[in-house]
C-alpha cells in the first residue's frame, strides 16, 4: 500500500508535549505555547507528524491543567488564543498536525459551571454535576473511591449534598447524562475545531458515564488487578463495576465521532482516548461497533508491563487479536502519568524500546524527552507538587519525576528557561551531558537513533502500513516480527537481554541490516545463523530469496533455544 493511502493519523507519529515542561519563553520557569512555537523546527527535524499538547486552558492548576476553569481560552501562564492560532498555523506549515486535550470527565471546582451548581440546589447548572444525598448516618452515598485517594464524594456543606469527583475533590465530575452538558461540551469541541485543531486526546474517556443508581462497587476479593498499575490506597480493594466503563458512554463517543467527521474526510479530525481498562475486549469496544467512535483508544499496556520479550509479544498479540478489520492499532511507551522508559528498562534497553515503538504496526506516540533518554527526576520532598504524591506519599505514584523540564543544552536549566529563573520542577544533575544539543552532535546517541528510525519509518511502506507477523520459536529473550507490504519485507529482531542471541536454523534467506540500535552495523546477514549483539535490535530488509508467505517465513526463522 502506498504511504499516502493512509490518513495522517495512521501513517504518522505523534509527539506528546507536556506544555509546562517543554520550553519557557517568558521567564516564569513554566513552559508555554510560544516556547513550543520556538521548537517546531526541532520537531520537524526529528520527523514527527503530529503534536499532542496536554492542557493549556485557564486552570487553578490543582492537577496542572487537568482541572479546567474555562474550556475555550488559554491560561496566561501558557499564552493567549492568538499565540495558539499562530502555533496551529505554523505547525501546519511545518507539515505537522495539532492534537489537544479534551478533559471530558470533570471541570475545575472553580469553573463557573460548578460555582453556579454549588450555589443552591435550584441553581440552573445544579444538574450539570453529580450530586447525591448522604446515607442516613451522614456518610458518602456509596463506596466509590477517587483515583487520587480517599472517597470519590465530597460533602458540600452549603447545599447539604455530596458531589462526585473521580479524581481530586477540586475536579468535580460532569453529569454527561444531562443533555445541557453534552451541548456545552460539544460547543467546546466545535470551538477548537474551528481554530484548526486536528484532533483531541480525550482524558479519562472510559469514566464519563457511571451507574445511574450509584450502586456500591463489589469488593475485589480475588485480588485481581483492576488497573494497569497499582493505584495505592483503597482503589485495588474494589472491582470497578459501577464507577466507570458504563455502556452509555458509547453513544457520546459516537456523537463526538459524527461531529469530527462533519469537518470533512480530506484531512480527518480525530479522537484519541485515554482508556485504562485491562480487559482487551472492553478496551476495544471504544473503537465503536462499526468503527464509529474513537479513532484510537490509546494502547497503554506497554507502559506498565514487565520488560520481557514474551510479555511484550503477548501484549501485542492480544492487541492484534481484538482488532476488527479496519481498527487501527497504536502504541505508547511514555506519558506524563507514568515512569519514564529509561528509568524502567535502563539506557541500553531504551534503544530497543524506541525501535519497538517505531516499528510495530500502528501509530506510535512518543513522549517528549524520551528521544534523548530523559530519566525520572529526583524530586526533593519540598519540591513535590503532584496531588497524587501529596495524597498518597511514598508509594512511588507521584508523577513529578516524569514531568521535569526538557533538556535542550548544557546551559543553566538546560535551555528550558532563563538562567535567572527557577524551573517549576528541578532538572536532573546529568543534563549537561544528556541534552538535545550534545546528542545531536553524537552520531551514536539515542536522539540520532530515534531520528533515523523516524526517517526510515516514514519512507518505508512496510513499516508504516505493512502487515505484522510475529516470528515464533525464538530464544526466550528475543522478540522478532515481520512487516510486509507488497514486495517489501522487513524483519525486526530485538534482543531484550545483555548477552548475544543467535537466531539459527537450517534455512534459506539473506537480509541487509538497514538499522541497528548499535548504529554500527550495515551488513548483509544470513538468516540461517544471525547473531544479535547484547541489547541490540536490528531492522533487516529481506533480500533473498523471493518473498515467502508469512507461515513459511515463520518456520524459516524459528530458532531453537540457545
Ligand atoms: C488522566 C491524565 O492523564 C492525568 O494526568 C490526570 O491527572 C487525570 N486524567 C485527571 O484528569
Amino acid at each position: 500500500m502506498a504511504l499516502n493511502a493512509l490518513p495522517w493519523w495512521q501513517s504518522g507519529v505523534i509527539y506528546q508535549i507536556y506544555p509546562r515542561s517543554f520550553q519557557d519563553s517568558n521567564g516564569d520557569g513554566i513552559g508555554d505555547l510560544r516556547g513550543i512555537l520556538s521548537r517546531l523546527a526541532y520537531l520537524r527535524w526529528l520527523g514527527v507528524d503530529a503534536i499532542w499538547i496536554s492542557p493549556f486552558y485557564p486552570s487553578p492548576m490543582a492537577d496542572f491543567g487537568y482541572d479546567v476553569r474555562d474550556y475555550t481560552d488559554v491560561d496566561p501562564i501558557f499564552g493567549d488564543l492568538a499565540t495558539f492560532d499562530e502555533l496551529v498555523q505554523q505547525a501546519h506549515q511545518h507539515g505537522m498536525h495539532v492534537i489537544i486535550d479534551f478533559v471530558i470527565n470533570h471541570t475545575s471546582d472553580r469553573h463557573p459551571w460548578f460555582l453556579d451548581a454549588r450555589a443552591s440546589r435550584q441553581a440552573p447548572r445544579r444538574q450539570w454535576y453529580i450530586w447525591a444525598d448522604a446515607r442516613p448516618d451522614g456518610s458518602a452515598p456509596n463506596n466509590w473511591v477517587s483515583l487520587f485517594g480517599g472517597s470519590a464524594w465530597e460533602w458540600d456543606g452549603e447545599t447539604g449534598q455530596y458531589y462526585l469527583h473521580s479524581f481530586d475533590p477540586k475536579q468535580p465530575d460532569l453529569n454527561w447524562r444531562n443533555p445541557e452538558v453534552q451541548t456545552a461540551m460539544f460547543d467546546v469541541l466545535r470551538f477548537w475545531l474551528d481554530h484548526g485543531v486536528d484532533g483531541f486526546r480525550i482524558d479519562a474517556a472510559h469514566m464519563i458515564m457511571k451507574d445511574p443508581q450509584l450502586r456500591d462497587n463489589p469488593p475485589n476479593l480475588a485480588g485481581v488487578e483492576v488497573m494497569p498499575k497499582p493505584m495505592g490506597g483503597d482503589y485495588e480493594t474494589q472491582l470497578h463495576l459501577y464507577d466507570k466503563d458504563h455502556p452509555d458512554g458509547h453513544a457520546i463517543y459516537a456523537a463526538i465521532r459524527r461531529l469530527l467527521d462533519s469537518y470533512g474526510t480530506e484531512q480527518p479530525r480525530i479522537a484519541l482516548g485515554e482508556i485504562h481498562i485491562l480487559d482487551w475486549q472492553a478496551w476495544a469496544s471504544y473503537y465503536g461497533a462499526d468503527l464509529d467512535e474513537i479513532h484510537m483508544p490509546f494502547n497503554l499496556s506497554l507502559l506498565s508491563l514487565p520488560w520481557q520479550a514474551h510479555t511484550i509479544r503477548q501484549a501485542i498479540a492480544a492487541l492484534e487479536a481484538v482488532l476488527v478489520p479496519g481498527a487501527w492499532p497504536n502504541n505508547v511507551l511514555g506519558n506524563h502519568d507514568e515512569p519514564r522508559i529509561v528509568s524502567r528498562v535502563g539506557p541500553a534497553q531504551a534503544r530497543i524500546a524506541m525501535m519497538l515503538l517505531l516499528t510495530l504496526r500502528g501509530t506510535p506516540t512518543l513522549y517528549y524527552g524520551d528521544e534523548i533518554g530523559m530519566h525520572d527526576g529526583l524530586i526533593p520532598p519540598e519540591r513535590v507538587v503532584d496531588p497524587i504524591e501529596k495524597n498518597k506519599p511514598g508509594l512511588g505514584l507521584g508523577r513529578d519525576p516524569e514531568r521535569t523540564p526538557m533538556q535542550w543544552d548544557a546551559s543553566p536549566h538546560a535551555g528550558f528557561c532563563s538562567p535567572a529563573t527557577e524551573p517549576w520542577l528541578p532538572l536532573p544533575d546529568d543534563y549537561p551531558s544528556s541534552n538535545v544539543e550534545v546528542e545531536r552532535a553524537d552520531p551514536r546517541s539515542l536522539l540520532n537513533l530515534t531520528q533515523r528510525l523516524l526517517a526510515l519509518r516514514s519512507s518505508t511502506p512496510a513499516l508504516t502500513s505493512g502487515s505484522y507477523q510475529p516470528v515464533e520459536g525464538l530464544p526466550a529473550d528475543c522478540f522478532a516480527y515481520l512487516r510486509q507490504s507488497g514486495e517489501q519485507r522487513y524483519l525486526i529482531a530485538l534482543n531484550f537481554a545483555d548477552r548475544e542471541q543467535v537466531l539459527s536454523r537450517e534455512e534459506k534467506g539473506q537480509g541487509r541490516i538497514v538499522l541497528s540500535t548499535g548504529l554500527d552495523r550495515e551488513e548483509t546477514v544470513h538468516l540461517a545463523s544471525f547473531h544479535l549483539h547484547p541489547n541490540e535490535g536490528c531492522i533487516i530488509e529481506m533480500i533473498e530469496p523471493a518473498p515467502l508467505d508469512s507461515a513459511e517465513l515463520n518456520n524459516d526463522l524459528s530458532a531453537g533455544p540457545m
Side-chain angles (χ1 to χ4, degrees), residues 63 66 103 106 148 167 171 201 203-204 274 336-337 399 403:
D63 188 19
Y66 284 96
V103 186
H106 44 266
F148 282 8
F167 296 90
Q171 294 166 297
R201 175 268 188 187
D203 185 66
E274 187 203 23
H336 62 294
D337 292 330
R399 301 166 299 175
R403 297 174 176 180

Side-chain angles (χ1 to χ4, degrees), residues 192-212:
W192 291 108
L193 289 166
D194 293 340
H195 277 263
V197 305
D198 301 288
F200 299 92
R201 175 268 188 187
I202 304 180
D203 185 66
H206 57 303
M207 305 202 53
I208 56 171
M209 288 288 191
K210 292 91 181 169
D211 177 37

Side-chain angles (χ1 to χ4, degrees), residues 283-363:
W283 169 84
S285 70
Y286 285 84
Y287 282 98
D290 295 318
L291 297 182
D292 55 353
E293 295 182 29
I294 293 174
H295 293 72
M296 289 191 292
F298 268 138
N299 165 24
L300 302 170
S301 65
L302 300 181
L303 287 167
S304 50
L305 285 173
W307 192 250
Q308 299 155 343
H310 69 275
T311 317
I312 302 298
R313 178 166 46 84
Q314 278 164 11
I316 300 304
L319 165 73
E320 292 280 349
V322 290
L323 296 178
V324 299
W328 188 252
N330 73 95
N331 296 289
V332 180
L333 271 172
N335 69 25
H336 62 294
D337 292 330
E338 307 293 337
R340 284 202 179 259
I341 186 71
V342 164
S343 298
R344 287 179 50 213
V345 307
Q349 281 296 314
R351 300 171 80 94
I352 300 292
M354 191 59 83
M355 185 171 275
L356 173 84
L357 175 71
L358 298 178
T359 57
L360 280 171
R361 191 173 86 90
T363 304

Side-chain angles (χ1 to χ4, degrees), residues 355-411:
M355 185 171 275
L356 173 84
L357 175 71
L358 298 178
T359 57
L360 280 171
R361 191 173 86 90
T363 304
T365 300
L366 187 58
Y367 185 48
Y368 87 92
D370 280 355
E371 76 273 26
I372 54 168
M374 275 173 64
H375 56 78
D376 289 342
L378 270 180
I379 312 294
E382 68 279 6
R383 297 289 301 267
V384 167
V385 290
D386 179 36
I388 293 191
E389 182 62 28
K390 288 184 166 179
N391 293 346
K392 304 181 189 180
L395 299 176
L397 301 175
R399 301 166 299 175
D400 296 329
E402 57 261 26
R403 297 174 176 180
T404 58
M406 180 69 175
Q407 298 158 201
W408 294 104
D409 58 40
S411 67

Side-chain angles (χ1 to χ4, degrees), residues 15 72 76 98 163 209 262 271 273 310 321 378 445 474 532 536 542:
Y15 184 94
T72 54
V98 178
Y163 69 84
M209 288 288 191
S262 74
H310 69 275
L378 270 180
S445 66
L474 298 179
L532 268 178
E536 186 187 31
M542 312 278 278

Side-chain angles (χ1 to χ4, degrees), residues 394-462:
L395 299 176
L397 301 175
R399 301 166 299 175
D400 296 329
E402 57 261 26
R403 297 174 176 180
T404 58
M406 180 69 175
Q407 298 158 201
W408 294 104
D409 58 40
S411 67
H413 306 321
F416 164 71
C417 61
S418 103
T421 317
E422 193 57 37
W424 77 286
L425 282 174
L427 282 138
D429 290 343
D430 64 353
Y431 80 79
S433 58
S434 169
N435 61 61
V436 170
E437 191 175 74
V438 165
E439 291 200 25
R440 263 182 95 152
D442 172 5
R444 301 173 65 88
S445 66
L446 176 60
L447 178 59
N448 275 310
L449 171 66
T450 305
Q451 194 268 346
R452 286 180 62 182
L453 279 164
L454 284 161
L456 183 64
R457 180 187 171 87
S458 73
S459 60
T460 309

